[in-house]
Amino acid sequence: MVPAPRPGRSPTTHPVRAAQLSPCKGNEPTPTETSSKARYPGFFRRYAELEGQAVELHAYSDHVVKGILQTEEYARAVFRMWRPLLDEETIEQGVTARMERRKLFARRPAPLLSFVIEEQVLQRPLGGPEVLRGQLEQLLLYGHERNVELQVMPTRRDEHAGLAGPFTLIHLAGQRRMAYMEVQDTSALYSDPKKVSPLEATYRVLAAQALTPRESLAFIQKLLGEL
């Protein structure tokens, strides 16, 4: 199995703490969640549904911060980078739907969540320095949650198991295990153990090669001090 977690706020909000004030229970989608799924592109819709049901989620990111971890400002900057260009209405719909996905952090019982993030992702100032600052602050908040593990993969590592690209592992109730990969507007969702097991092994190696969670939080704090 993928190892369980070992034990960012935008400049003006604390999404993790705010979410804890009104925890979601169970896996039943609310009308708002159902509505938001209709705004997801077709290639992503099934993944969004499964993500909301996950009892464990483990993700490796090498270009941008994982969507579920993003601040509103960072998500907006990401959508504005898309090509072909998106109109403002589509961007705002995407941002709203992405923010609704963060309800996973407030669900009870809490899912186990872990993320391996490339160092370069944390240094890329999408939207400008203040947007990056808010994103790093939010990552620090998430990283201090007991059910969340954040690890940074240093750029100068001479061994790296993730060169084939980003992926997400989803563990569902009943021991169902799935893997998701996406590039451009194409995605693949796997349930076959012959596909999922090698990715789980890859993730274990990535976690071993990355900084520890404690080292990673210190590293993010250091980046904040340099902004």
Side-chain angles (χ1 to χ4, degrees):
M1 288 184 62
V2 174
R6 297 186 292 269
R9 174 188 75 169
S10 69
T12 57
T13 59
H14 296 263
V16 178
R17 295 170 187 166
Q20 289 175 336
L21 297 178
S22 55
C24 303
K25 297 181 180 179
N27 294 327
E28 294 283 335
T30 66
T32 300
E33 290 169 329
T34 301
S35 174
S36 73
K37 287 180 176 61
R39 295 196 293 271
Y40 292 128
F43 70 86
F44 187 75
R45 203 165 294 146
R46 179 57 176 159
Y47 169 78
E49 178 184 346
L50 293 172
E51 181 186 75
Q53 300 171 7
V55 295
E56 292 188 35
L57 187 143
H58 310 279
Y60 165 60
S61 302
D62 65 352
H63 282 82
V64 297
V65 172
K66 181 74 173 171
I68 198 172
L69 295 170
Q70 293 175 9
T71 66
E72 181 175 334
E73 296 82 1
Y74 186 95
R76 187 172 289 109
V78 169
F79 281 118
R80 284 180 173 157
M81 301 294 166
W82 280 23
R83 298 296 186 273
L85 293 171
L86 303 176
D87 60 57
E88 287 301 314
E89 181 180 1
T90 301
I91 289 173
E92 291 308 314
Q93 287 177 345
V95 170
T96 298
R98 186 158 290 183
M99 294 304 99
E100 288 177 353
R101 287 168 55 199
R102 296 190 302 184
K103 291 179 180 178
L104 180 64
F105 288 99
R107 208 186 66 208
R108 298 295 181 266
L112 299 177
L113 308 171
S114 73
F115 305 89
V116 176
I117 308 172
E118 288 290 335
E119 175 185 341
Q120 64 195 22
V121 171
L122 305 178
Q123 297 174 319
R124 183 171 293 133
L126 299 179
E130 287 307 309
V131 171
L132 178 59
R133 174 181 292 278
Q135 181 62 67
L136 295 179
E137 289 175 344
Q138 176 152 298
L139 290 177
L140 284 178
L141 282 176
Y142 281 139
H144 283 96
E145 293 296 301
R146 293 178 58 206
N147 65 311
V148 179
E149 179 181 81
L150 291 177
Q151 291 182 257
V152 176
M153 175 66 78
T155 300
R156 295 182 64 83
R157 281 286 192 262
D158 58 7
E159 293 187 356
H160 196 309
L163 299 182
F167 60 93
T168 302
L169 301 170
I170 311 165
H171 293 185
L172 302 168
Q175 301 299 311
R176 293 172 58 205
R177 301 148 81 95
M178 306 188 77
Y180 176 79
M181 291 180 286
E182 178 186 322
V183 59
Q184 300 293 333
D185 60 353
T186 302
S187 66
L189 187 62
Y190 298 108
S191 59
D192 186 345
K194 292 181 180 179
K195 291 284 190 179
V196 178
S197 294
L199 288 170
E200 291 180 325
T202 296
Y203 192 86
R204 286 194 292 270
V205 177
L206 280 169
Q209 292 172 336
L211 299 178
T212 68
R214 181 174 295 182
E215 291 169 341
S216 297
L217 293 180
F219 182 82
I220 294 172
Q221 188 68 61
K222 176 176 176 290
L223 291 179
L224 269 171
E226 295 172 352
L227 284 175

